[in-house]
Amino acid sequence: MESERIEEYLEAIYKRQGREAPVSTSSLAADLGVSQPAVTDMLRTLENKGLIDYKSRMGASLTRTGEERALLVIRRHRLWERFLTDVLGMKWDKVHKEACRLEHATSPDIEKGLSSILGNVDTCPHGHAIPDDKGNIKQGENRPLSAFRPPVKVRILSVDNEDPKLLRAMEKLGLRPGAIISVIKKSRDGSLEIEFQDTKLTLDTATASFLTAEQLPEVSFTTDECEISLGELNSGESGVIKNFGGGRGSLGRCLSLGFTPGSIIKMVENYRRGPVLVRVHDTDVAIGRQLAEKISVVRTGSS
Amino acid sequence: MKKITESEEITVALAGAPNVGKSTIFNLLTGLSQHVGNWPGKTVEHKTGVFRRDGLTMNIIDLPGTYSLTANSVEEQIARDYLVHENPNVVVAVLNAASLERNLYLVAELIELAPRLVIALNMLDVAEQQGLKIDYEALSRTLNIPVVPIVARANRGLRELITQIEQECGTAAGLRNVKHIEYGSEITDVIDHVDRLLDDGITGLYPKHWTAMKLLEGDEQINKMIRTRMPAERWPALDSYLKEHESAAVTIATLRYEWVERMMAVAQQKRRVGQVSLTERIDRVATHPVLGLFMLIAILGVMYWLVFSIGVPIQKFLDINLIERARDFIYTLSYLPQWLQGFLADGVLSGAGTVLTFIPILFFFFAAWAFLEDTGYTSRAAFVTDRFMHALGLHGKSCLPLVLGFGCNVPAIFGTRIIDSPRARLLTILLTPLVPCTGRMAVIAIIAAAFFGSAAVLISIGMIILSLLIMAIVGLILTRFVIRGKSSALIMELPLYHVPDLKLIGMVTWQNILAFIKRAGTVILAVSVLVWLLSIIPNGNINDSILADIGKFLEPVGRLMGLNWQMMVALLSSFVAKENTIATLGVMLSGSSGDFTQQLKAILTPAAAVAFLVVQVLFIPCVATIAAIRQETGGWKWPALILVFQLVLSFAIAITVYQVFSLFQGM
């Protein structure tokens, strides 16, 4: 039991280290669901074993040995998760708990067996990299989804949350690591409007921060999405501004009136001839037909 | 905090986008102390005024309405140059609470240039009507800028605004910890790089970092300034770097709007509710391609009806009862020398005096114009007429001034101020004199009636169509071949409709009429006296005068259109005021027998009569219009060109018409 707890701690410290270093007792207490004094006790034990450096006010950081041990546990955890989903066909929202128990009872031989049965896997079902048997882990360019500036096309890399409810919801939508989505708009409260497999969805702020993603080249966005000129938007339809074909002269005026890429634009009136009337940043703006033809938008729907 | 001592004098600049109620605030603060002029060398209104309270004297400057401080227009250039060069003690940013999002963009730019900023959050009542709730205190805390809620229309909150300005003025500028916008490391690196390429001192009073940003934003004025000041061998490096980072303009604007969105998240407690606002309901008609046109025609109909049913009778009344009687009176003053009687009666009164009787008509036009501007309708009118104006290489904003020209060309010339692109504005000014005004139409109507009897209405309408056709052709030629350059695209905000501020309309109308009176007292007076002099020198008889000599000199040209020298003199006299043609003809024909119709028929063939109408309707604009053009184009170049051009044009077309008609007559 002792070693199991040690491993749980090392794992927790390792995961925390990505965000804060050294890791404070309070965040560990929160992550592991135990009291702060209990954490302090345990950290002392770990320090005596040479697994961490611990300074009472500052917090803990893993030593080289500690990190190796942590990565080993993480490797076993993620391999188990893979095994449970891929081989046993379990749902991905259930495997974390199981893996948490199994990881501590795994001998090097079982680990090797798992690895060879799974073949060449490098991530767990939630998209996190699996450390190799030498304790090396691939550091990807993972950025939280909330950090991207719409409109952008991204590939989901991982889900940094084990909440079964969230995972089940994502499963239902087919939103898994590897999924390619378009982030259309970020609203004031931080929630994201996204498009995935031709359906529009809204992700709340919390979800957007759990998901990490990498940006895909612009090109694929424009070929997949149907980019049209503003003049082609029908009355009542909305779109997202992509870019300008207009010259420098009208550009400045457009920008100061809020025609910035990523802005939501609503066509108020388009009679197919003459100027169009649009609403952008809460104001009605009239644009001449010629200029409207030079602004490209992606249609997002009608209201 | 520094105490405001007695006799303290501070300068306060009002900045804000168009349609935020800035002028109303300015009027409330300065009242009749305001002075309206033009910015030096520019045709943008420069309004200053003084506000006094408890020993504090505030010199208030109303900056032109702008959406940003990147020199996209003359207004923006003036506003930011004023901030940089004059460094006012406090800048008040007037924002419209109902379109806060749009207005905060300007704040984002002001923060970088104005050390002491106070925000006046106007139209909170309108915002509330729309279901918006704005937490101005939270906004103030986040921005670290005082925010004063006001309702300028109801004169609420201005006292607090003054107090806040005073307080702000007492704080040392350096202590204000206004948070500048963070542009993120990527773009900041680019800005810093440009900053390093600039030598110290090269940017003058403009902050260096700010200049770097404007260069990246593609600000042409700043670009030109740096290009001329920088050592020539260093320019290419900067230029190519700027070209390489052309997309920075978009990024910077995007980041500013992101900042605005963050501020909105703080300030906006309640979102706009989904109900259909009054503005939307009106706009369903007002911006409809067909209904909107009918609405425009109806509004203009009411305007002209007012002018003709009230303005014109008053003008006639003044002309008969004031000018005519004053003239008669002067001639009864037998102790005055004859030349002085002539000077006062025929030179001053019938020239400049007659022009002044047009004030009631002008009053209606100026007031109607200010009314339409203040309610927010002018931009709708521009919207529905845009497609037609495109044929002339112009856009919708040119239409209303031209329509106004049917009444009088003078307010039309001033009305062109709503056009933001300098090129489109110049084009509109050049075309305006080709719109037949009431003065010209009066002459046409009288002569047509005298000569053609029942066909007069048809002939008059024909003249209107002809001059509009000529205007369209000239417009096409000018835009295609003469004043080339890309036709500026229409892009304008359609502000929310609001109840017009009658005080403001009164003020604007009064200022315009005052300016007209000033011109009548100077340029118009000078020209009318000159024409009078020409008509009496050397022996007091117009038939032997220099004017007659000029007429006789022009007779060979006149012959080509069937006009004798008397008709040419009558035409020339219309330079003072178009109506003068009739009066002059009256004087010159007084010796011959019969009534006016018979007299006319004696000297004109039908073909010549038509030619005369044509030349009259297209002839050079009157002095008042020329003076207005001079003022609005800032020099004599364009007025002179218009004089020459219209002289040639009117003669050429009249000659053609006469020759063609004569051919038919001969058959």
Side-chain angles (χ1 to χ4, degrees):
Chain A
M1 282 313 272
E2 172 80 3
S3 74
E4 193 173 313
R5 272 182 58 221
I6 288 171
E7 284 172 357
E8 285 292 338
Y9 268 82
L10 292 175
E11 214 180 332
I13 295 170
Y14 180 84
K15 281 181 181 162
R16 266 282 165 191
Q17 266 184 346
R19 278 167 287 176
E20 58 174 279
V23 181
S24 69
T25 44
S26 54
S27 21
L28 279 178
D31 287 355
L32 294 161
V34 289
S35 70
Q36 281 204 40
V39 173
T40 317
D41 277 355
M42 190 60 187
L43 290 181
R44 293 247 158 72
T45 320
L46 294 178
E47 194 185 16
N48 292 338
K49 288 184 185 289
L51 294 169
I52 62 168
D53 288 324
Y54 176 57
K55 289 192 190 71
S56 59
R57 289 259 167 80
M58 309 282 291
S61 49
L62 294 171
T63 59
R64 181 86 201 112
T65 348
E67 190 176 310
E68 271 167 20
R69 180 95 178 262
L71 281 168
L72 184 72
V73 181
I74 289 169
R75 174 174 160 79
R76 288 174 181 169
H77 179 101
R78 292 182 179 168
L79 282 173
W80 272 119
E81 284 187 338
R82 260 287 162 214
F83 179 81
L84 293 172
T85 52
D86 291 10
V87 180
L88 298 188
M90 281 175 75
K91 295 274 193 222
W92 72 333
D93 54 287
K94 295 204 175 115
V95 297
H96 174 70
K97 257 177 144 181
E98 299 287 345
C100 272
R101 278 197 290 275
L102 291 165
E103 68 193 22
H104 308 297
T106 310
S107 67
D109 286 341
I110 292 183
E111 180 196 314
K112 245 179 233 153
L114 280 172
S115 172
S116 69
I117 249 189
L118 290 168
N120 250 344
V121 291
D122 46 10
T123 61
C124 79
H126 309 105
H128 299 110
I130 301 176
D132 67 15
D133 50 2
K134 288 170 198 79
N136 300 317
I137 186 161
K138 225 176 33 199
Q139 302 290 352
E141 285 279 297
N142 297 18
R143 275 206 288 165
L145 198 56
S146 50
F148 287 92
R149 178 151 4 103
V152 67
K153 197 174 187 110
V154 296
R155 178 185 288 121
I156 300 284
L157 292 177
S158 68
V159 190
D160 286 351
N161 192 298
E162 316 289 0
D163 176 17
K165 241 199 247 152
L166 172 77
L167 292 175
R168 269 200 298 275
M170 287 182 61
E171 172 91 47
K172 222 180 209 165
L173 295 169
L175 261 182
R176 281 171 156 273
I180 289 168
I181 63 167
S182 306
V183 183
I184 295 160
K185 200 205 166 184
K186 188 192 275 186
S187 69
R188 301 220 170 88
D189 56 13
S191 65
L192 296 180
E193 209 172 287
I194 64 163
E195 192 173 297
F196 172 61
Q197 292 176 348
D198 294 330
T199 23
K200 256 166 276 298
L201 305 165
T202 309
L203 295 181
D204 60 36
T205 329
T207 313
S209 65
F210 293 142
L211 298 177
T212 68
E214 65 178 353
Q215 187 167 348
L216 295 178
E218 195 81 350
V219 195
S220 58
F221 186 77
T222 51
T223 48
D224 274 354
E225 295 288 338
C226 184
E227 208 175 286
I228 54 172
S229 89
L230 183 56
E232 289 172 75
L233 219 53
N234 299 315
S235 301
E237 283 183 338
S238 300
V240 173
I241 298 178
K242 280 296 295 173
N243 55 39
F244 296 90
R248 212 76 164 125
S250 44
L251 178 72
R253 169 114 306 173
C254 285
L255 289 178
S256 61
L257 277 174
F259 288 81
T260 51
S263 293
I264 288 270
I265 191 164
K266 189 187 164 194
M267 180 60 69
V268 179
E269 265 168 29
N270 184 354
Y271 293 104
R272 294 290 151 198
R273 286 182 60 221
V276 297
L277 185 55
V278 297
R279 183 163 307 147
V280 62
H281 290 285
D282 257 1
T283 333
D284 287 349
V285 178
I287 310 180
R289 173 73 46 187
Q290 285 173 320
L291 188 56
E293 299 296 341
K294 287 179 187 151
I295 298 173
S296 66
V297 295
V298 173
R299 189 184 278 134
T300 57
S302 54
S303 58
Chain B
M1 196 176 97
K2 199 172 97 190
K3 193 105 168 72
I4 300 290
T5 53
E6 245 166 83
S7 81
E8 181 96 18
E9 203 173 318
I10 60 170
T11 310
V12 176
L14 297 181
N19 319 305
V20 294
K22 201 159 58 72
S23 304
T24 305
I25 294 175
F26 179 73
N27 277 342
L28 283 172
L29 291 177
T30 60
L32 287 171
S33 80
Q34 55 183 269
H35 173 80
V36 182
N38 274 359
W39 291 86
K42 303 275 161 49
T43 54
V44 178
E45 242 167 40
H46 176 275
K47 298 209 278 186
T48 55
V50 181
F51 172 84
R52 289 196 178 83
R53 191 173 85 181
D54 310 332
L56 168 82
T57 304
M58 247 182 220
N59 294 313
I60 301 176
I61 282 98
D62 191 12
L63 294 176
T66 58
Y67 292 106
S68 80
L69 294 178
T70 308
N72 294 317
S73 67
V74 195
E75 284 84 0
E76 291 176 5
Q77 195 180 324
I78 288 173
R80 68 121 180 272
D81 281 356
Y82 179 84
L83 294 179
V84 170
H85 293 120
E86 304 299 323
N87 200 14
N89 297 74
V90 175
V91 177
V92 177
V94 184
L95 309 185
N96 178 351
S99 52
L100 190 56
E101 197 170 324
R102 157 92 356 104
N103 288 187
L104 276 171
Y105 187 84
L106 182 65
V107 174
E109 290 215 70
L110 279 173
I111 284 174
E112 282 149 22
L113 278 186
R116 293 201 199 92
L117 201 58
V118 173
I119 291 177
L121 193 56
N122 195 14
M123 303 195 192
L124 269 177
D125 52 338
V126 180
E128 263 162 43
Q129 278 164 23
Q130 295 184 354
L132 281 165
K133 195 141 191 307
I134 288 161
D135 184 351
Y136 59 90
E137 282 164 340
L139 185 64
S140 175
R141 277 196 304 274
T142 316
L143 289 169
N144 205 9
I145 296 171
V147 178
V148 186
I150 59 172
V151 180
R153 198 182 309 284
N155 199 353
R156 282 208 322 256
L158 267 89
R159 186 176 293 272
E160 291 76 8
L161 179 65
I162 296 294
T163 313
Q164 200 56 252
I165 294 172
E166 265 183 81
Q167 246 177 43
E168 191 63 18
C169 206
T171 4
L175 289 183
R176 269 253 158 260
N177 187 17
V178 177
K179 277 178 213 132
H180 282 228
I181 300 173
E182 282 169 27
Y183 287 103
S185 62
E186 215 172 295
I187 197 77
T188 310
D189 287 347
V190 176
I191 299 173
D192 287 343
H193 186 90
V194 175
D195 190 336
R196 279 194 299 277
L197 287 174
L198 300 172
D199 296 316
D200 284 332
I202 198 176
T203 59
L205 285 168
Y206 297 103
K208 213 165 138 232
H209 192 77
W210 180 87
T211 309
M213 203 148 86
K214 287 294 153 194
L215 281 172
L216 284 163
E217 280 183 75
D219 185 313
E220 277 171 32
Q221 190 215 356
I222 295 288
N223 191 292
K224 211 188 268 170
M225 178 189 84
I226 296 298
R227 190 166 54 215
T228 48
R229 290 193 188 170
M230 200 174 214
E233 70 278 7
R234 302 255 315 275
W235 171 253
L238 176 59
D239 193 39
S240 68
Y241 188 80
L242 290 178
K243 290 221 170 84
E244 206 177 299
H245 290 86
E246 224 170 31
S247 64
V250 178
T251 317
I252 291 173
T254 309
L255 289 165
R256 275 201 201 112
Y257 263 105
E258 277 180 18
W259 176 87
V260 167
E261 282 191 16
R262 287 200 297 280
M263 292 306 123
M264 286 303 287
V266 169
Q268 195 166 290
Q269 290 174 324
K270 242 199 241 163
R271 294 270 221 128
R272 201 181 294 271
V273 282
Q275 66 180 16
V276 180
S277 68
L278 182 65
T279 294
E280 268 173 85
R281 261 178 287 166
I282 299 176
D283 271 351
R284 273 185 202 153
V285 177
T287 61
H288 190 275
V290 180
L291 298 178
L293 272 183
F294 281 118
M295 186 166 163
L296 176 64
I297 291 167
I299 287 173
L300 292 173
V302 170
M303 184 169 98
Y304 277 98
W305 175 76
L306 276 175
V307 168
F308 283 109
S309 60
I310 307 175
V312 172
I314 297 176
Q315 189 267 329
K316 292 239 166 76
F317 177 83
L318 289 177
D319 197 29
I320 294 164
N321 288 291
L322 211 70
I323 303 297
E324 289 296 318
R325 291 179 86 170
R327 275 170 51 112
D328 294 347
F329 176 68
I330 285 166
Y331 277 119
T332 61
L333 303 173
S334 49
Y335 52 83
L336 287 179
Q338 218 184 348
W339 65 266
L340 188 59
Q341 285 180 336
F343 168 75
L344 289 175
D346 296 333
V348 176
L349 280 176
S350 20
T354 308
V355 172
L356 282 180
T357 61
F358 284 92
I359 287 178
I361 296 179
L362 284 176
F363 168 83
F364 279 101
F365 280 120
F366 282 133
W369 182 255
F371 177 85
L372 292 181
E373 270 262 87
D374 197 45
T375 51
Y377 181 72
T378 40
S379 52
R380 274 75 182 184
F383 181 77
V384 289
T385 54
D386 187 64
R387 72 190 67 182
F388 308 111
M389 299 314 289
H390 260 287
L392 300 180
L394 297 170
H395 62 58
K397 281 187 176 178
S398 302
C399 187
L400 266 192
L402 289 175
V403 170
L404 207 58
F406 281 106
C408 176
N409 286 179
V410 176
I413 300 282
F414 292 116
T416 59
R417 287 191 176 193
I418 58 162
I419 305 166
D420 38 25
S421 130
R423 177 178 172 273
R425 188 161 174 234
L426 181 63
L427 281 167
T428 314
I429 289 176
L430 296 183
L431 292 180
T432 303
L434 290 170
V435 178
C437 64
T438 41
R440 262 173 276 183
M441 288 319 292
V443 176
I444 302 289
I446 290 169
I447 293 186
F451 206 93
F452 296 102
S454 56
V457 178
L458 278 179
I459 300 268
S460 301
I461 293 172
M463 287 303 136
I464 297 179
I465 294 173
L466 174 80
S467 49
L468 290 184
L469 222 88
I470 302 286
M471 187 187 84
I473 295 169
V474 171
L476 274 179
I477 294 171
L478 281 178
T479 49
R480 299 286 141 83
F481 305 108
V482 185
I483 309 173
R484 260 177 292 186
K486 270 222 307 250
S487 84
S488 75
L490 174 80
I491 174 161
M492 62 177 175
E493 182 189 352
L494 298 192
L496 297 171
Y497 288 106
H498 52 73
V499 183
D501 178 354
L502 293 180
K503 254 196 207 155
L504 184 74
I505 293 172
M507 195 72 99
V508 170
T509 311
W510 166 240
Q511 281 157 359
N512 277 323
I513 288 188
L514 204 66
F516 183 75
I517 292 173
K518 272 187 196 153
R519 268 197 308 279
T522 52
V523 186
I524 300 174
L525 181 67
V527 173
S528 55
V529 168
L530 181 73
V531 172
W532 169 73
L533 279 175
L534 291 177
S535 74
I536 59 150
I537 292 173
N539 62 4
N541 187 345
I542 191 171
N543 288 322
D544 303 323
S545 65
I546 298 178
L547 200 60
D549 289 341
I550 298 174
K552 284 168 189 159
F553 174 76
L554 286 175
E555 205 167 13
V557 185
R559 284 261 167 267
L560 293 175
M561 42 189 157
L563 303 178
N564 65 11
W565 65 269
Q566 286 154 315
M567 295 309 285
M568 295 305 282
V569 170
L571 187 62
L572 287 178
S573 69
S574 74
F575 182 50
V576 176
K578 293 286 167 185
E579 290 80 350
N580 278 12
T581 303
I582 302 297
T584 312
L585 271 180
V587 172
M588 296 185 53
L589 300 177
S590 59
S592 43
S593 60
D595 63 3
F596 189 57
T597 307
Q598 287 161 339
Q599 288 165 350
L600 271 183
K601 289 202 167 160
I603 55 168
L604 289 175
T605 63
V610 173
F612 184 70
L613 294 180
V614 169
V615 75
Q616 174 75 35
V617 83
L618 296 174
F619 199 55
I620 54 173
C622 67
V623 182
T625 308
I626 289 289
I629 294 172
R630 194 203 76 85
Q631 191 186 333
E632 293 303 298
T633 56
W636 283 110
K637 180 183 154 198
W638 292 108
L641 269 172
I642 287 178
L643 283 178
V644 174
F645 173 68
Q646 280 194 242
L647 196 67
V648 173
L649 181 81
S650 57
F651 282 179
I653 294 176
I655 289 169
T656 316
V657 167
Y658 177 73
Q659 297 299 341
V660 171
F661 270 72
S662 300
L663 272 180
F664 281 108
Q665 262 182 339
M667 284 184 346

